[in-house]
Amino acid sequence: HGTTLQGYVDSSNTGVTFPAGHVIGTEYMNYKGYKSYVSSTSWTTTNLTDSIVVKSATSKILVQPKINIKVYLGAVSAYFRINESTTSLETVLDDYYGNGSSAANTGTAYYQYLHDHNQSAGTTLTYTINMRPHVAHVHGIRVNDYMTGNQNVSSLVLMEIAQ
């Protein structure tokens, strides 16, 4: 026994109501490259950028970055920020801290942010994850660089959720 939709199921979603909490759109990207040293306190991209086309003006976008990070000289911490240009979103996420020793600290930072975009259906939202070290440091931070030299994968997932 299924649910019957009434209306038109097309790119405009005219006449269709999505049940609250349902995922109505998903975008996903992997970044397998290597982002070299970031040593100044200016925001710079992690190369995690993806877009999603809004299907509903009342939906929200769940932004989920996973960042493999190497913080050099553990006293330095890394800050991450979500940017979205259409809505002028600039939200600083939590810090990823070094270990306070003279050695590099490596790990994976996971974040979730629910963006209430208030944009009409058909609007393209492009999200970028930026980073910077807490203090300027010659060694700074890197994405996808562990001490073994293996290339790791960072990712960005965007999910549109009906409200």
Side-chain angles (χ1 to χ4, degrees), residues 28-132:
Y28 179 86
M29 66 88 57
N30 280 332
Y31 174 61
K32 296 179 183 180
Y34 168 78
K35 182 67 178 177
S36 62
Y37 288 116
V38 176
S39 56
S40 82
T41 57
S42 298
W43 290 102
T44 188
T45 182
T46 60
N47 291 333
L48 291 173
T49 300
D50 205 357
S51 299
I52 191 165
V53 177
V54 174
K55 292 180 176 59
S56 170
T58 60
S59 67
K60 293 184 181 181
I61 306 296
L62 181 61
V63 182
Q64 296 179 297
K66 178 193 87 124
I67 308 156
N68 290 315
I69 189 77
K70 185 173 192 175
V71 179
Y72 280 85
L73 302 171
V76 177
S77 61
Y79 293 112
F80 296 99
R81 180 175 76 182
I82 297 173
N83 285 74
E84 197 292 307
S85 59
T86 303
T87 61
S88 300
L89 174 69
E90 286 188 358
T91 297
V92 176
L93 303 168
D94 201 7
D95 304 353
Y96 178 82
Y97 290 100
N99 60 11
S101 72
S102 60
N105 188 33
T106 59
T108 303
Y110 295 93
Y111 299 102
Q112 292 186 337
Y113 179 78
L114 192 59
H115 183 206
D116 190 0
H117 59 81
N118 294 315
Q119 299 297 306
S120 58
T123 301
T124 299
L125 301 177
T126 300
Y127 294 87
T128 301
I129 308 302
N130 293 307
M131 66 179 178
R132 73 173 181 83

